[in-house]
């Protein structure tokens, strides 16, 4: 997420996924259940009027997403100050024990979340034995596997209140599990919340159409004994809505849901729910769950959508400042192994500029800290004559040494000869754009080839905060 990703690339990915879908369907005409995680095969198309309950599911997903984000961030902040948060292993055991106690009595929370989602997405057939499919039998108008809308039986009503309890439990337990020191995930739990809500709404609409098929909203397309409402489709749309409300994804979410289910013909309902959930959630809070956790954890992240319109220059942001000590550099042919090891031990930088000499400060390249450490350790072990007084050379050619001098260490191969540089007069608007789109960690500042300083991503973030009248020292990078 720290790299620039153009919107046009997202659209290309979307259309590429559609092409792949048609290709897979033509290759595997007998069904693609082996290619997707939650394969669905609904026998009836959706109707235009069903967009209303689909949008209602989108509203629910947006409200759930906003509630989840605020509650989860508040819990994570509180976790840092509590005794339980200081013992992450104990916290995992406590939350696991509470989850097990609450989940075991209910069969829909006792099963794995993936199995639950698959059952909620399922379209009831003649041979289904699930309680969700225990309708009053009426096979007079059955054609193949198509079943007419029927009155709910005792099993369906039992499943409804069990699913309602499961919804309440999963809504609250997901708040505490996401963010723990264990990869408990977010996609599947969020999909489960939405799938439960969608199935509940789907069964409600199905029964409403069965008992009131003469209403104006049903009379044109849902006659008595017809198979017109598919509760499993509502579960799928609800899953997309809740996932969209939490992550604020739109096009990519529709592609993900299509890839998970193989339901190509249901892209429009998924898009309606995903967009509605995003709009509702954005009206309450602009941040998705991942953006909120990036800010909570203090990660150095540059938001690609924010504009930088201030008229500052690279020289205003680069370090060292006038009161700072000189920039730590390595010369290309005059430093010993001991000198370089001292620099490594005394600093924590991820890399060092290499210059011709300290007097000229003419930039040669950039070398990473880890490459230096590995190269020196390997040379001491495997190369004869490498001692602390050996000279390190970053040049192509090294001068002949007297017979009594120790062996030289050539490290030209680990030197980056083209580090990214900007001049001291480069506007910071361009520098910020470069950091966003190239994913840079640091950028060197030069003037006529002479090294002046360095700008890191953290320097850019502090400068943006300062331009927004915030205290740059209040930004913590964990």
């Amino acid at each position: 997420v720290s790299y620039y990703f153009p919107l046009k690339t997202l659209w290309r990915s979307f259309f590429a996924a559609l092409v792949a879908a048609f290709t897979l369907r033509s290759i595997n005409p007998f069904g693609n259940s082996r290619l997707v995680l939650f394969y669905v095969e609904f026998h009836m198309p959706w109707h235009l009027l069903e967009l209303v309950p689909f949008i209602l599911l989108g509203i629910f997903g947006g409200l759930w997403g906003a509630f989840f984000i605020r509650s989860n961030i508040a819990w994570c902040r509180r976790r840092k100050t509590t005794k339980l948060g200081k013992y992450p292993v104990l916290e995992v055991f406590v939350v696991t024990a509470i989850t097990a106690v609450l989940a075991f009595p209910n069969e829909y929370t006792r099963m794995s979340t993936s199995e639950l989602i698959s059952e909620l997405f399922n379209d009831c057939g003649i041979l289904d034995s699930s309680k969700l499919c225990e309708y009053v039998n009426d096979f007079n108008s059955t054609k193949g596997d198509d079943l007419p809308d029927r009155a709910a039986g005792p099993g369906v009503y039992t499943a409804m209140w069990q699913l309602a309890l499961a919804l309440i439990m999963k809504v609250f337990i997901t708040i505490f599990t996401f963010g723990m020191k264990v990869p408990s995930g977010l996609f599947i739990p969020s999909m489960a919340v939405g799938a439960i809500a969608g199935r509940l709404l789907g069964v409600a609409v199905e029964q409403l159409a069965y008992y009131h098929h003469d209403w104006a909203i049903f009379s044109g397309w849902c006659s008595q004994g017809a198979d017109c409402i598919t509760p499993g489709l509502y579960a799928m749309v609800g899953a997309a809505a809740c996932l969209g409300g939490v992550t604020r994804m739109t096009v990519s979410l529709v592609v993900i849901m299509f890839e998970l289910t193989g339901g190509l013909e249901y892209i429009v309902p998924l898009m309606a729910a995903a967009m509605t959930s995003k709009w509702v959630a954005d009206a309450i809070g602009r941040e998705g769950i991942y953006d909120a956790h990036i800010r909570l954890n203090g990660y150095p992240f540059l938001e690609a959508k924010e504009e930088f319109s201030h008229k500052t220059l690279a020289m205003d942001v680069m370090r060292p400042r006038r009161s700072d000590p000189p920039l730590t550099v390595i010369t290309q042919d005059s430093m010993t192994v001991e000198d370089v090891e001292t620099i490594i031990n005394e600093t924590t930088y991820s890399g060092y500029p290499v210059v011709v000499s300290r007097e000229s400060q003419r930039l040669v390249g950039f070398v990473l800290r880890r490459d230096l450490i590995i190269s020196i350790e390997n040379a001491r072990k495997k190369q004869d004559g490498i001692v602390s007084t050996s000279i390190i050379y970053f040049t192509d050619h090294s001068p002949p040494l007297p017979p009594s001098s120790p062996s030289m260490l050539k490290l030209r191969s680990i030197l980056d000869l083209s580090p990214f540089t900007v001049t001291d007069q480069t506007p910071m608007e361009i520098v910020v754009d470069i950091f966003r789109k190239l994913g840079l960690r640091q950028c060197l500042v030069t003037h006529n080839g002479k090294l002046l300083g360095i700008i890191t991503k953290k320097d850019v973030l502090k400068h943006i905060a300062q331009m927004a009248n915030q205290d740059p020292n209040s930004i913590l990078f964990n």
Side-chain angles (χ1 to χ4, degrees):
V1 296
S2 65
Y3 287 88
Y4 176 71
F5 192 74
L7 185 61
K8 62 181 181 180
T9 305
L10 191 63
W11 281 106
R12 290 171 183 170
S13 302
F14 174 65
F15 290 117
L18 293 183
V19 173
F22 286 113
T23 305
L24 289 176
R25 180 156 297 192
S26 62
I27 293 174
N28 187 20
F30 300 104
N32 54 356
S33 58
R34 293 166 293 176
L35 301 176
V36 295
L37 182 60
F38 305 115
Y39 175 67
V40 296
E41 188 176 7
F42 302 135
H43 300 96
M44 290 300 297
W46 60 279
H47 194 270
L48 185 63
L49 291 177
E50 289 185 281
L51 283 177
V52 175
F54 294 156
I55 291 175
L56 291 177
L57 287 174
I59 295 174
F60 171 80
L63 294 174
W64 144 250
F67 169 75
F68 170 79
I69 292 171
R70 289 192 176 186
S71 302
N72 179 257
I73 294 300
W75 164 247
C76 288
R77 286 200 181 102
R78 184 178 180 85
R79 175 190 287 142
K80 293 181 178 180
T81 60
T82 59
K83 293 183 178 179
L84 191 61
K86 297 178 182 179
Y87 302 97
V89 176
L90 177 62
E91 180 190 22
V92 170
F93 276 108
V94 170
V95 174
T96 302
I98 294 174
T99 304
V101 171
L102 295 177
F104 189 79
N106 190 336
E107 66 175 286
Y108 290 109
T109 54
R110 187 165 62 239
M111 67 175 64
S112 72
T113 311
S114 298
E115 293 178 5
L116 172 62
I117 295 175
S118 296
E119 184 164 342
L120 294 172
F121 285 5
N122 181 45
D123 185 21
C124 292
I126 297 176
L127 301 179
D128 282 314
S129 58
S130 170
K131 284 196 297 186
L132 288 171
C133 299
E134 288 186 13
Y135 291 87
V136 176
N137 293 328
D138 180 14
F139 301 130
N140 294 329
S141 57
T142 299
K143 298 179 181 179
D145 290 334
D146 294 343
L147 292 176
D149 289 340
R150 297 157 289 160
V156 174
Y157 288 113
T158 301
M160 289 301 100
W161 70 260
Q162 287 181 336
L163 284 176
L165 294 177
L167 176 64
I168 296 173
M169 180 215 163
K170 286 192 174 292
V171 161
F172 288 99
I173 205 66
T174 308
I175 294 173
F176 300 102
T177 56
F178 184 72
M180 291 195 310
K181 303 300 181 182
V182 64
S184 56
L186 178 65
F187 270 52
I188 297 298
S190 297
M191 287 179 62
V193 171
I196 294 173
R199 189 77 187 203
L200 291 172
L201 181 61
V203 173
V205 174
E206 179 191 45
Q207 296 303 300
L208 190 66
Y210 175 78
Y211 287 107
H212 303 283
H213 57 86
D214 54 341
W215 284 9
I217 57 175
F218 298 119
S219 59
W221 59 284
C222 193
S223 59
Q224 186 175 14
D227 180 18
C228 50
I229 304 296
T230 307
L233 173 59
Y234 286 71
M236 186 172 72
V237 173
C242 283
L243 190 54
V246 171
T247 62
R248 309 298 166 85
M249 295 189 299
T250 52
V251 177
S252 56
L253 173 61
V254 175
V255 175
I256 289 172
M257 290 301 299
F258 152 65
E259 290 175 343
L260 286 175
T261 61
L264 179 63
E265 57 271 29
Y266 304 108
I267 282 183
V268 174
L270 292 173
M271 292 183 79
M275 291 304 302
T276 304
S277 66
K278 176 175 170 57
W279 290 334
V280 172
D282 283 346
I284 300 175
R286 298 292 298 179
E287 286 185 327
I289 185 62
Y290 297 115
D291 298 319
H293 271 268
I294 285 172
R295 183 168 51 84
L296 176 67
N297 293 312
Y299 296 143
F301 175 71
L302 283 170
E303 176 58 54
K305 299 177 183 178
E306 295 179 359
E307 294 289 338
F308 185 88
S309 57
H310 303 284
K311 304 300 181 182
T312 52
L313 302 175
M315 62 183 299
D316 302 324
V317 182
M318 72 175 188
R319 289 179 294 124
R321 308 291 170 82
R322 293 181 179 179
S323 59
D324 294 340
L327 188 66
T328 302
V329 297
I330 296 175
T331 57
Q332 68 174 357
D333 56 7
S334 61
M335 296 185 70
T336 64
V337 171
E338 184 179 13
D339 295 334
V340 175
E341 288 178 333
T342 301
I343 290 177
I344 293 174
N345 293 330
E346 292 180 352
T347 62
T348 58
Y349 306 133
S350 61
Y352 307 92
V354 178
V355 297
V356 173
S357 65
R358 295 186 183 276
E359 293 74 23
S360 70
Q361 290 290 307
R362 186 73 58 183
L363 181 64
V364 176
F366 191 83
V367 62
L368 294 177
R369 175 193 186 91
R370 66 172 184 270
D371 292 341
L372 273 177
I373 295 174
I374 294 173
S375 298
I376 292 175
E377 288 179 353
N378 291 339
R380 284 185 177 273
K381 294 177 181 177
K382 301 176 182 179
Q383 191 172 338
D384 294 334
I386 299 299
V387 293
S388 297
T389 56
S390 298
I391 302 295
I392 294 180
Y393 286 91
F394 292 96
T395 57
D396 283 327
H397 305 286
S398 54
L401 299 177
S404 59
S405 60
S407 299
M408 67 183 69
L409 178 57
K410 295 182 179 181
L411 296 182
R412 175 82 171 184
S413 60
I414 67 171
L415 181 64
D416 181 6
L417 295 172
S418 56
F420 206 95
T421 61
V422 295
T423 66
D424 55 339
Q425 297 299 313
T426 303
M428 275 305 297
E429 181 180 3
I430 296 178
V431 175
V432 172
D433 205 35
I434 290 172
F435 269 88
R436 284 172 177 163
K437 294 184 176 180
L438 297 182
L440 299 180
R441 294 183 62 182
Q442 66 273 324
C443 177
L444 301 177
V445 182
T446 62
H447 179 77
N448 293 333
K450 182 180 178 180
L451 179 65
L452 297 183
I454 188 172
I455 299 176
T456 65
K457 181 184 282 189
K458 295 179 181 180
D459 295 329
V460 173
L461 287 167
K462 288 184 177 181
H463 181 67
I464 292 175
Q466 187 176 9
M467 292 296 100
N469 297 322
Q470 300 175 4
D471 182 11
N473 296 321
S474 65
I475 301 178
L476 301 177
F477 301 108
N478 296 339

